[in-house]
Amino acid sequence: MELVCPAGSIPALKAAIAAGADAVYIGFKDDTNARSFAGLNFTDEKAQKAIQLARSGTQSSKATKIFVAINTYPQANSWHRWQRAVDQAAQLGVDAIIAGDIAVLDYVAQTYPQINLHLSVQASATNRESLEFYKNNFGIRRAVLPRVLSMAQLSHLSKTSPVELEVFGFGSLCIMAEGRCYLSSYVTDQSPNTGGVCSPPKDVQWSDTPEGQETHLNGVLIDRFKADEKAGYPTLCKGRFEAGGDIYHALEEPTSLNTLDLLPELKAMGISAIKLEGRQRSPAYISQVASIWRQAIDRLDLPTNAATHNAKQDQQWHATLAELSEGHQTTLGAYHRPWQ
Amino acid sequence: MQLSLGPVPYFWPKQQLLDFYQSMVTQPLDRIYLGETICSKRREMRWQDWLDLARFVESHGIKAVLSSLTLIEAESELKQLTKLCKQDEFLVEANDMGAVNLLSQQGKPFVTGPAINIYNGRSLRLMQNLGLERWIMPVELSKSSLGDTLQQAQELSNEPLPETEIFAFGQLPLAYSARCFTARQRNLAKDDCGFCCIETPQGINVTSQDGEQIFTLNGIQTMSAKIYDLCSEVDSLKQLNVQSLRISPLVSGTSEAIHKFKQAIDGTATENGDAIPLMDLSNANRVCNGYWFGEPGMDLHRQ
């Protein structure tokens, strides 16, 4: 099972490689990828350097793969940027392009048939027929699945999927079918599909009021925190709203996905890769999270009884991951049926 | 310019739904989309009921199109989707690429709903090559984006373009999740939901803590709280060669909306006449049109 780690900068990439990532996914410095934040991502020169660093390997002299996410939806007047991104990735000789828009997928398949195509989570493929569609038409080798399937559904899909499957292991939790969520553009003028960003930082306002600290997104009150509560980033689906007379997290609490406990099952199903979310995270975060997941994946190859007396290690890993999580709590998300 | 009625996104008792369509077939509609697009657990209407309803609609001279479920996760849902795509009586609106695959492999023409991501002219032509004959633009895209898309598609080929339908009225479909938010509001597990969304015929309103209406919970779907209304934009829609406008059903006021659009299309609405006002600007907290102008969807753009 491959460990696919995020990197939004060269130091983060180095941290991921040092922690034992099998592959690192990056994006270019524009809106062609779904983490289009200021100060993040790779210029052509930095991407070149990333490839060199990944190819040179670590002490164990193993090369790390580089995937490039070109996974937002180009509009007609900006198509040239997506085309340029694909050309650039091809020139760099990346190990895979991660894309969701069918025009981008088609351009890669027609122009660079030798490049591995991975279907982005933004394409929102959740079933066998959808995966067949992308395989038949664009020859995708792998698909990253949206965070909407239960373990039973995933298990079934893994038996019938025409392509390799990659699933999210840890990080910020999208609770909507990715690529089909416009909450962000409804309140701001950008969504992951159009602007490569959800709940964009440019629209965030923090303010102290007599009622407590408030977070707004483009003027809409997302949450209000009491003195003893830690104010979180105003991601729209994690806000506290009023519905049916109650004020609560109507969609989801601030929490991160953590599937560490599901790892043995995911491996048994034949899942090809585990993806860690977080290209916007610091090198220190990536180092900590990636090394835990590296150890957890490697541990699966130990004799079966060895895993059973690792409860203490599990506890430490969970504590560290919770500390690094949104709202200091984690969830199994949709994998765990009662969450739904 | 044609008028379409989108699928009912809410869960209504069977009789209420049938009564609704009984009145809709007398409306000046060219096309009615039918089917459960949100949750496969909603089974007031069985497969045969939908087919019967589609035949009833067509017996009134209105074209019926069957709309597919949007989020397909379970094997049972895939089976139902296969059945839908295999029938030959009615055109299908694909709301998931799985449906596009099933239809295109049989060489059948199809329509794509607003949850199919066609964001540019290249994608539009690709889908057309697979059998697309009409597309509903994703709701978050604007007038200028539509213009660019159609122009790009025209530059790519001399083929006539597929028909364009625009979501022009109703609560906007904004997101789909594995989680049921209606059950969550009731503190019920999804597997034990008791089909409680049948008690909320137009969803559950979500407001911010300072009272601003934001979203609507409709089972696993999140919708806008405001009504998207492009009635005052009929001229710009015509200029872009949009062939069809979609009215998304509401629990009440759907007929009024259809008439309002019909008048706007026919040019029979007069400023001082007895026509229904195109857009009640005093009701800005209930109406929005921002997406069409490339602005936040919930905004109301005033010229």
Side-chain angles (χ1 to χ4, degrees):
Chain A
M1 205 156 44
E2 204 172 70
L3 177 63
V4 183
C5 295
S9 66
I10 290 288
L13 176 102
K14 285 180 178 167
I17 293 173
D22 296 304
V24 178
Y25 64 104
I26 64 173
F28 292 124
K29 220 171 172 52
D30 59 18
D31 54 356
T32 59
N33 71 90
R35 289 290 183 278
S36 173
F37 294 124
L40 208 64
N41 294 323
F42 293 72
T43 59
D44 293 350
E45 294 72 31
K46 290 274 166 68
Q48 184 68 54
K49 194 176 173 200
I51 297 276
Q52 284 163 2
L53 285 166
R55 294 281 150 77
S56 64
T58 54
Q59 287 107 338
S60 61
S61 76
K62 186 193 71 163
T64 308
K65 293 176 188 165
I66 295 287
F67 302 162
V68 173
I70 308 173
N71 61 343
T72 44
Y73 287 83
Q75 293 183 44
N77 66 356
S78 53
W79 165 253
H80 58 95
R81 278 207 297 283
W82 276 256
Q83 189 170 13
R84 193 211 72 93
V86 170
D87 294 342
Q88 184 60 23
Q91 210 182 329
L92 287 166
V94 301
D95 297 284
I97 288 176
I98 310 169
D101 177 68
I102 59 172
V104 175
L105 289 163
D106 182 63
Y107 180 69
V108 179
Q110 300 292 333
T111 320
Y112 305 106
Q114 76 283 7
I115 296 185
N116 280 318
L117 254 183
H118 292 185
L119 187 67
S120 170
V121 69
Q122 297 303 124
S124 210
T126 58
N127 58 75
R128 186 181 68 246
E129 287 296 338
S130 181
L131 295 173
E132 295 271 8
F133 172 83
Y134 290 102
K135 178 162 191 273
N136 294 343
N137 290 291
F138 313 110
I140 61 158
R141 309 275 175 89
R142 179 186 288 185
V144 186
L145 295 178
R147 283 156 275 197
V148 297
L149 298 179
S150 68
M151 282 301 269
Q153 288 163 348
L154 182 59
S155 169
H156 195 274
L157 186 57
S158 68
K159 291 190 189 92
T160 55
S161 171
V163 296
E164 288 180 4
L165 299 179
E166 177 172 320
V167 301
F168 278 91
F170 185 81
S172 291
L173 175 65
C174 271
I175 60 162
M176 307 300 183
E178 292 92 331
R180 293 194 242 183
C181 176
Y182 318 126
L183 296 190
S184 181
S185 62
Y186 181 65
V187 171
T188 76
D189 58 352
Q190 289 181 320
S191 74
N193 285 5
T194 57
V197 60
C198 170
S199 308
K202 71 176 176 62
D203 290 311
V204 172
Q205 297 111 21
W206 305 80
S207 53
D208 288 306
T209 74
E211 282 90 11
Q213 188 171 25
E214 292 183 348
T215 52
H216 286 82
L217 193 65
N218 193 25
V220 174
L221 180 59
I222 305 302
D223 207 344
R224 189 178 268 164
F225 301 90
K226 296 193 196 87
D228 60 340
E229 289 178 318
K230 194 174 175 291
Y233 188 87
T235 307
L236 267 168
C237 61
K238 313 277 171 66
R240 229 172 336 191
F241 305 116
E242 188 273 324
D246 301 316
I247 292 172
Y248 66 110
H249 294 101
L251 301 168
E252 175 60 315
E253 284 123 54
T255 180
S256 291
L257 178 74
N258 178 11
T259 65
L260 204 56
D261 291 338
L262 304 177
L263 212 43
E265 271 181 88
L266 294 171
K267 179 166 177 155
M269 279 179 201
I271 298 299
S272 301
I274 298 288
K275 184 176 206 114
L276 307 182
E277 183 277 345
R279 284 191 283 133
Q280 71 284 15
R281 300 287 191 168
S282 70
Y285 171 97
I286 287 167
S287 176
Q288 278 181 288
V289 175
S291 64
I292 289 175
W293 283 82
R294 177 76 273 159
Q295 293 172 67
I297 291 173
D298 289 346
R299 203 176 73 180
L300 297 173
D301 292 329
L302 298 176
T304 46
N305 61 343
T308 55
H309 43 79
N310 273 327
K312 195 171 171 204
Q313 192 175 39
D314 278 4
Q315 220 172 17
Q316 277 171 355
W317 287 346
H318 277 295
T320 306
L321 292 176
E323 191 59 34
L324 294 166
S325 294
E326 231 182 296
H328 296 298
Q329 55 177 339
T330 64
T331 174
L332 291 171
Y335 293 114
H336 185 52
R337 190 76 191 178
W339 177 92
Q340 301 191 9
Chain B
M1 185 177 264
Q2 302 186 330
L3 269 181
S4 294
L5 185 69
V8 171
Y10 319 101
F11 188 35
W12 293 346
K14 185 175 176 182
Q15 196 54 52
Q16 182 180 347
L17 193 85
L18 295 178
D19 291 347
F20 173 77
Y21 284 116
Q22 188 80 49
S23 76
M24 286 301 119
V25 293
T26 65
Q27 301 294 323
L29 289 166
D30 298 283
R31 190 179 302 110
I32 297 184
Y33 294 84
L34 297 165
E36 176 54 51
T37 57
I38 309 300
C39 178
S40 60
K41 292 178 74 180
R42 296 172 170 180
R43 289 191 204 122
E44 282 279 300
M45 292 281 287
R46 299 293 172 147
W47 171 242
Q48 194 58 45
D49 297 328
W50 286 117
L51 291 178
D52 290 346
L53 184 56
R55 288 172 194 138
F56 168 75
V57 164
E58 295 220 322
S59 74
H60 285 77
I62 297 172
K63 200 90 193 129
V65 181
L66 299 180
S67 296
S68 85
L69 191 69
T70 306
L71 184 57
I72 313 255
E73 299 156 316
E75 193 59 22
S76 56
E77 292 163 351
L78 206 49
K79 278 198 184 116
Q80 187 57 40
L81 183 74
T82 306
K83 197 176 189 179
L84 171 70
C85 296
K86 281 199 168 151
Q87 60 78 36
D88 291 315
E89 201 176 344
F90 302 101
L91 188 65
V92 172
E93 176 189 65
N95 286 307
D96 182 83
M97 284 299 193
V100 172
N101 195 52
L102 285 161
L103 294 159
S104 61
Q105 291 214 317
Q106 298 171 80
K108 287 183 179 169
F110 58 89
V111 181
T112 53
I116 294 288
N117 286 341
I118 298 177
Y119 276 71
N120 52 67
R122 286 174 170 261
S123 298
L124 187 63
R125 286 296 193 196
L126 278 166
M127 292 297 263
Q128 186 178 23
N129 289 338
L130 295 171
L132 177 75
E133 64 172 47
R134 186 184 314 114
W135 70 302
I136 289 88
M137 186 176 74
V139 295
E140 69 169 346
L141 294 180
S142 67
K143 169 167 60 174
S144 72
S145 178
L146 174 63
D148 293 345
T149 292
L150 298 179
Q151 195 191 329
Q152 189 187 36
Q154 261 157 346
E155 287 163 5
L156 287 167
S157 145
N158 291 326
E159 280 274 301
L161 289 167
E163 281 184 26
T164 299
E165 180 168 312
I166 296 294
F167 186 103
F169 181 88
Q171 288 185 297
L172 290 160
L174 295 179
Y176 305 85
S177 176
R179 171 174 276 177
C180 176
F181 303 108
T182 304
R184 176 177 170 84
Q185 200 282 325
R186 302 282 176 100
N187 286 315
L188 295 170
K190 185 184 181 188
D191 285 339
D192 191 24
C193 69
F195 315 108
C196 58
C197 57
I198 206 163
E199 293 159 23
T200 57
Q202 205 167 296
I204 300 172
N205 228 316
V206 177
T207 57
S208 67
Q209 291 186 51
D210 56 3
E212 184 171 13
Q213 297 195 29
I214 316 174
F215 301 129
T216 298
L217 308 178
N218 174 38
I220 63 127
Q221 185 186 42
T222 307
M223 311 175 86
S224 65
K226 293 184 181 177
I227 308 293
Y228 192 63
D229 187 348
L230 294 186
C231 199
S232 58
E233 285 300 309
V234 165
D235 286 345
S236 71
L237 288 154
K238 279 182 179 170
Q239 277 162 22
L240 284 163
N241 290 322
V242 170
Q243 284 93 345
S244 179
L245 300 183
R246 171 173 291 202
I247 308 291
S248 185
L250 296 175
V251 74
S252 68
T254 310
S255 316
E256 289 82 349
I258 292 168
H259 281 278
K260 192 174 77 158
F261 274 85
K262 183 69 181 160
Q263 288 174 340
I265 290 169
D266 294 346
T268 51
T270 55
E271 271 177 43
N272 306 312
D274 54 0
I276 299 157
L278 287 184
M279 187 188 287
D280 184 0
L281 292 180
S282 64
N283 213 0
N285 60 341
R286 288 291 295 143
V287 178
C288 65
N289 61 12
Y291 277 143
W292 186 243
F293 297 94
E295 294 167 10
M298 68 190 293
D299 284 4
L300 179 60
H301 181 94
R302 296 161 196 260
Q303 260 117 351

